[in-house]
Amino acid sequence: MHRDVESGPVIALNVDPAQAAETASLEEQLQGWGEVMLMADKVLRWERAWFPPAIMGVVSLVFLTIYYLDPSVLSGVSCFVMFLCLADYLVPILAPRIFGSNKWTTEQQQRFHEICNNLVKTRRRAVGWWRRLFTLKEEKPKMYFMTMIISLAAVAWVGQQVHNLLLTYLIVTFVLLLPGLNQHGIISKYIGMAKREINKLLKQKEKKNE
């Protein structure tokens, strides 16, 4: 779907050519989802005070529905994939009619570009971590083995202690709230507080040892 963009200054992003090409390709693929992505970006970054409780309310409603219907794994996966297929077909058709004009401002186009660029960066980080894991396996197989066993055992223990649906609900809620927490500096605030408390404890131990 083609959109006209109003003229205006465009902010250049310093990225390597390969990342720029991936971003351009992703923009082209997601062009029909542009309006939805911009709206979702505003919600996830908490541009209004009622967005966080709205996110939690929608997620809670979805999971309560799943809990009430109690579908089998096969039914749940089928319904989820069917929903994705319907959204992939209907969103590019309905989005321009719902959100209005096909004409974007420069700021909207720039924000859409930044979102796609961030998605490419996230994908690259995930691939990078995956490659580091295999590098660790080749260079330090014992450390790789112990790390994987301990990590998977911890995940298995948590999964055994917490109900699957509740655990999924907590993970989905945290992931959806994470952009807003980062945007408003809440995570960095509590990380800083934790670091200060750890430093205090370390200093107290040093004084006792002296």
Side-chain angles (χ1 to χ4, degrees):
M1 182 179 62
H2 175 73
R3 293 189 185 86
D4 296 325
V5 181
E6 294 180 356
S7 60
V10 178
I11 302 172
L13 296 175
N14 295 323
V15 295
D16 60 81
Q19 182 174 322
E22 289 183 37
T23 301
S25 176
L26 187 61
E27 284 185 54
E28 185 177 355
Q29 294 172 17
L30 298 177
Q31 196 69 25
W33 286 75
E35 291 92 347
V36 177
M37 291 177 65
L38 289 177
M39 179 58 66
D41 177 65
K42 293 179 181 179
V43 174
L44 293 177
R45 291 190 296 114
W46 304 357
E47 288 197 356
R48 296 187 180 180
W50 58 271
F51 282 162
I55 292 173
M56 297 185 66
V58 171
V59 174
S60 300
L61 179 62
V62 171
F63 276 86
L64 283 173
T65 304
I66 295 173
Y67 177 77
Y68 176 76
L69 296 176
D70 192 21
S72 64
V73 175
L74 186 59
S75 298
V77 172
S78 298
C79 290
F80 180 71
V81 175
M82 181 175 61
F83 173 78
L84 290 180
C85 291
L86 287 172
D88 185 54
Y89 176 75
L90 293 175
V91 167
I93 299 174
L94 298 178
R97 300 177 183 178
I98 296 174
F99 292 97
S101 174
N102 285 340
K103 191 171 184 179
W104 277 19
T105 64
T106 304
E107 289 77 15
Q108 287 176 313
Q109 182 62 35
Q110 181 64 35
R111 184 57 194 163
F112 178 65
H113 177 77
E114 291 173 359
I115 293 171
C116 292
N117 190 52
N118 290 334
L119 290 174
V120 170
K121 287 181 180 179
T122 302
R123 182 173 62 188
R124 285 190 157 205
R125 290 193 192 101
V127 173
W129 280 105
W130 187 256
R131 289 176 178 171
R132 289 190 190 97
L133 189 63
F134 279 93
T135 302
L136 180 65
K137 179 182 178 181
E138 294 176 359
E139 295 179 355
K140 300 178 180 179
K142 292 182 179 179
M143 181 179 293
Y144 165 82
F145 176 77
M146 293 301 298
T147 302
M148 292 300 295
I149 292 299
I150 293 173
S151 301
L152 293 173
V155 172
W157 181 81
V158 171
Q160 185 66 25
Q161 300 301 315
V162 184
H163 190 276
N164 291 335
L165 190 61
L166 176 59
L167 185 61
T168 307
Y169 167 76
L170 294 174
I171 292 172
V172 171
T173 303
F174 175 75
V175 170
L176 292 178
L177 292 177
L178 186 59
L181 293 172
N182 283 328
Q183 180 71 20
H184 292 269
I186 297 174
I187 290 181
S188 58
K189 173 184 175 182
Y190 284 100
I191 289 177
M193 291 174 59
K195 287 181 178 179
R196 287 193 294 270
E197 292 299 324
I198 292 173
N199 289 332
K200 287 180 181 179
L201 292 174
L202 292 175
K203 288 180 180 179
Q204 290 177 359
K205 288 185 178 180
E206 289 178 358
K207 290 180 179 179
K208 288 181 180 180
N209 292 331
E210 291 177 357

